[in-house]
Amino acid sequence: MRPFVFAVLLSSAWPAACLAQTATIDTTKAPATVLPGVYADPHIAAFGKNFYLYPTTDGIEGWGATSFTAWSSPDLVHWKNEGVILDLPRDLAWAKARAWAPAMATKNGKYYYYYSADTNIGVAVADKPTGPFKDPLGKPLVPKGQFKGQAIDPMTFVDDDGTAYLYWGQGQCHVVKLNPDMVSYDVAAVIEFKPPGYNEGSFVFKRQGKYYLMWSEYDTRDPRYSVAYATASSPLGPFTKASANPVLHGQGVVKGAGHHSVVQVPGTDEWFIAYHRFKIPGGNGYNRETCISPMRFDAQGNILPVNVFEPVKPTKIKKAAPARP
């Protein structure tokens, strides 16, 4: 396993104008959530002419959820509950509880749903982004105890050439190139690394030829829970952590903003970040709610600080993303 190298990148990601704007925000009134009730760890994606959210079902002490739902929206504001897409007791033979932190990818005309179940990572496959999803392996894709840290929080990035990469891990980050079938990989090729401050929730995207690795810092029960990032010229790294971090964090009435995902509006350079925060009022690490905010970049490609008090505005997909090979 080859080592990863991290450095600090001096950047201008916190311009004076942005800091001045932040200072004038009313931090006592947070925008409404996009999903009703308590949901966490949202994975956001765009397929066809719709956006989709795949969250963890929250509100249970010890994070004991047993099923996953999907939500669809034509505009990021109005969301429809598509129902349960994977029920652990019903659909799996190897795990019954602790359904956490899913992710979605598409390739070969199929939809691949990666998820945490009883601190293993599994994969399910469907013909549509809303399922029904089936377990093609009958066992975990990444079993607990095989690598350092907890085997949770999967994320799959599919590059422009169709090559897919699986990231995961709490306490330690891992990456491996998936085989073309999207449900297998070379165990010997797994790379382990740990960015400074890394705890969990890795997420990767590509913009203008640059790869961005983002992750959550602190514990999800900690009001300081937040999101930082690094960049690289390859999806396998090495990554350089930006100095202007975190780029997403709580402020005022907003606590514990983290465990995010990012979506690009197809055909544009418009980006949004989905994340959870402590429920307002009275929330904690087991009662979290899902939000979406705009995410912007400066001229050098640095991620600008996310304003958690800026409500998401209706945004439609005018040009659907091309299918992955």
Side-chain angles (χ1 to χ4, degrees), residues 2 4 155-161 163-167 173-177 191 193 203-206 209-213 230-239:
R2 66 184 179 88
F4 266 54
M155 188 274 159
T156 299
F157 166 72
V158 183
D159 210 344
D160 299 330
D161 64 358
T163 304
Y165 301 85
L166 177 68
Y167 302 78
C173 194
H174 308 78
V175 60
V176 69
K177 185 185 296 185
I191 299 169
F193 62 104
F203 189 90
V204 172
F205 67 94
K206 184 179 183 181
K210 183 186 296 186
Y211 297 87
Y212 293 75
L213 168 70
T231 59
S233 59
S234 163
L236 295 174
F239 289 93

Side-chain angles (χ1 to χ4, degrees), residues 295-317:
M295 191 177 84
R296 302 181 178 92
F297 303 82
D298 68 12
Q300 290 73 46
N302 301 304
I303 300 175
L304 294 172
V306 175
N307 179 0
V308 294
F309 293 91
E310 180 181 1
V312 64
K313 296 180 180 178
T315 304
K316 293 195 174 184
I317 299 174

Side-chain angles (χ1 to χ4, degrees), residues 1-324:
M1 300 177 184
R2 66 184 179 88
F4 266 54
V5 178
F6 285 86
V8 173
L9 173 67
L10 295 176
S11 75
S12 58
W14 289 80
C18 191
L19 290 174
Q21 181 186 18
T22 301
T24 63
I25 293 171
D26 179 0
T27 63
T28 65
K29 299 181 180 67
T33 59
V34 293
L35 299 184
V38 284
Y39 292 92
D41 314 325
H43 181 95
I44 192 169
F47 301 126
K49 289 296 186 75
N50 282 328
F51 297 98
Y52 294 87
L53 276 172
Y54 303 92
T56 296
T57 303
D58 214 19
I60 304 168
E61 189 81 12
W63 309 292
T66 61
S67 63
F68 293 103
T69 57
W71 301 71
S72 64
S73 172
D75 60 4
L76 292 175
V77 173
H78 303 93
W79 290 89
K80 174 187 176 183
N81 188 346
E82 298 287 354
V84 172
I85 59 171
L86 189 71
D87 181 273
L88 270 54
R90 180 192 66 198
D91 299 328
L92 300 186
W94 50 269
K96 303 302 179 187
R98 294 194 282 181
W100 304 341
M104 180 69 80
T106 183
K107 186 178 174 181
N108 305 325
K110 299 285 186 180
Y111 294 87
Y112 298 87
Y113 188 68
Y114 302 86
Y115 56 92
S116 311
D118 195 23
T119 63
N120 303 270
I121 290 172
V123 59
V125 186
D127 294 326
K128 301 185 299 182
T130 54
F133 285 88
K134 301 296 183 183
D135 177 10
L137 301 179
K139 62 181 181 179
L141 177 64
V142 181
K144 66 175 71 175
Q146 187 171 16
F147 302 97
K148 293 179 183 178
Q150 282 200 95
I152 62 172
D153 298 357
M155 188 274 159
T156 299
F157 166 72
V158 183
D159 210 344
D160 299 330
D161 64 358
T163 304
Y165 301 85
L166 177 68
Y167 302 78
W168 77 90
Q170 188 272 333
Q172 185 86 21
C173 194
H174 308 78
V175 60
V176 69
K177 185 185 296 185
L178 287 169
N179 292 329
D181 63 8
M182 297 289 283
V183 299
S184 65
Y185 58 93
D186 180 359
V187 173
V190 173
I191 299 169
E192 296 181 341
F193 62 104
K194 187 173 183 178
Y198 178 91
N199 183 41
E200 61 190 10
S202 54
F203 189 90
V204 172
F205 67 94
K206 184 179 183 181
R207 179 182 181 267
Q208 298 182 359
K210 183 186 296 186
Y211 297 87
Y212 293 75
L213 168 70
M214 304 179 76
W215 64 85
S216 292
E217 302 191 337
Y218 298 101
D219 185 271
T220 191
R221 294 163 290 191
D222 191 323
R224 298 173 296 172
Y225 199 56
S226 51
V227 171
Y229 82 100
T231 59
S233 59
S234 163
L236 295 174
F239 289 93
T240 299
K241 186 176 182 180
S243 62
N245 273 307
V247 291
L248 173 70
H249 61 89
Q251 186 182 6
V253 70
V254 175
K255 308 292 185 185
H259 205 122
H260 76 299
S261 58
V262 170
V263 69
Q264 178 184 15
V265 181
T268 76
D269 192 32
E270 192 171 9
W271 298 75
F272 292 88
I273 184 168
Y275 56 95
H276 69 237
R277 69 189 186 201
F278 286 7
K279 182 180 181 296
I280 301 173
N284 54 34
Y286 302 114
N287 292 278
R288 301 160 295 179
E289 51 193 12
T290 292
C291 307
I292 299 176
S293 298
M295 191 177 84
R296 302 181 178 92
F297 303 82
D298 68 12
Q300 290 73 46
N302 301 304
I303 300 175
L304 294 172
V306 175
N307 179 0
V308 294
F309 293 91
E310 180 181 1
V312 64
K313 296 180 180 178
T315 304
K316 293 195 174 184
I317 299 174
K318 297 179 180 179
K319 181 181 179 181
R324 293 293 189 184

